Amino acid sequence: MSRILAKSIAVTVLALLASLAISFTFVPMLGGEVSGAGLVMTIVCPIAVALPASTLHYWQSERLRRANGALMAANDKLAEAYRQLHSQSRLDALTGVLNRHAFAQELQAVSEAAASGGLLFIDLDHFKSINDRFGHATGDEALRAIGQLLTGHVRATDIVGRLGGEEFGIFLHSVTAEHMLDRSHRIREAVRSLDFRTPAGAQVALGASIGAFHCRAGFDPSQALAAADGNLYRAKSTGRNTVIA
């Protein structure tokens, strides 16, 4: 409020000076004299008009400025909430990796960018027995642990998603077929070596079968997933805890 009053007083002083300048310039030219009631009106009128008018103007301007600031802040919060909601809608709530739909979108984008790489289809071995023996809560914790493990074994340019149940997918961006196989075996070994325990402290053995398929530039995502899935089926049929490409 003090800033509003200061501005209003400054405007009033300028209005008063302008009024005096006009009066002392033009009144003598017309043969009059600025004195008495005329001088009083020259001083009082700009004060009576300019002070309340400028105070009201600056007060309304300040209210508008604050309202605009509040609106911008609300818009920023809304935009951030939308970004978070959009991000959350792409993530699997349990594991924190991309959900199936978002993984498919990212895979399509990679294909359209004419990139190559390795596609891994990962399935946890005998996962149903974990739910049967230790309960679904332990099974969920195991899936969460696997999600974190897989995320830790990829680069920022790679893609990790949960494709459903105990199935995960990884796209290794711009790797050779040999590098894809090496990374696949390292991931399989990391899953096998994971020290996962129930809340009671019982150790739960985990394993993973991996179907790998090397994607050339311009690959068809659906065909690549089908090929990786076929290799996964072969991996599970030949003893599990293995990699087939």
Side-chain angles (χ1 to χ4, degrees), residues 118-125 146 149-150 153 166 168-170 172 180-192 207-213 227-245:
L119 179 61
L120 313 184
F121 208 137
I122 304 168
D123 185 84
L124 300 183
D125 296 330
I146 293 297
L149 182 148
L150 296 180
H153 275 74
E166 63 272 21
F168 293 83
I170 294 179
L172 304 172
M180 175 191 73
L181 276 176
D182 179 63
R183 294 276 296 278
S184 298
H185 282 294
R186 280 191 283 168
I187 290 172
R188 179 194 59 78
E189 182 60 27
V191 173
R192 191 189 68 81
S209 298
I210 302 177
F213 177 76
D229 189 28
N231 288 338
L232 172 62
Y233 178 80
R234 291 170 55 202
K236 297 186 79 69
S237 300
T238 54
R240 303 174 188 265
N241 191 34
T242 188
V243 177
I244 296 292

Side-chain angles (χ1 to χ4, degrees), residues 13 22 31-33 38 43 50 114 117 121 133 136 147 164 170 173 187 191 197 210 212 220 236:
V13 170
I22 292 171
E33 182 179 353
I43 296 173
F121 208 137
R133 291 179 58 194
H136 287 277
I170 294 179
H173 200 281
I187 290 172
V191 173
R197 298 177 182 271
I210 302 177
D220 181 276
K236 297 186 79 69

Side-chain angles (χ1 to χ4, degrees), residues 70-124:
L71 181 60
M72 291 179 63
N75 284 337
D76 289 342
K77 289 182 180 179
L78 183 61
E80 180 60 26
Y82 174 79
R83 284 193 293 270
Q84 292 180 359
L85 182 62
H86 178 68
S87 176
Q88 291 171 359
S89 70
R90 289 169 50 81
L91 299 179
D92 176 64
L94 179 62
T95 61
V97 300
L98 294 176
N99 57 37
R100 185 183 185 94
H101 179 66
F103 183 84
Q105 286 183 323
E106 292 295 321
L107 199 60
Q108 181 66 40
V110 169
S111 172
E112 292 175 357
S116 63
L119 179 61
L120 313 184
F121 208 137
I122 304 168
D123 185 84
L124 300 183

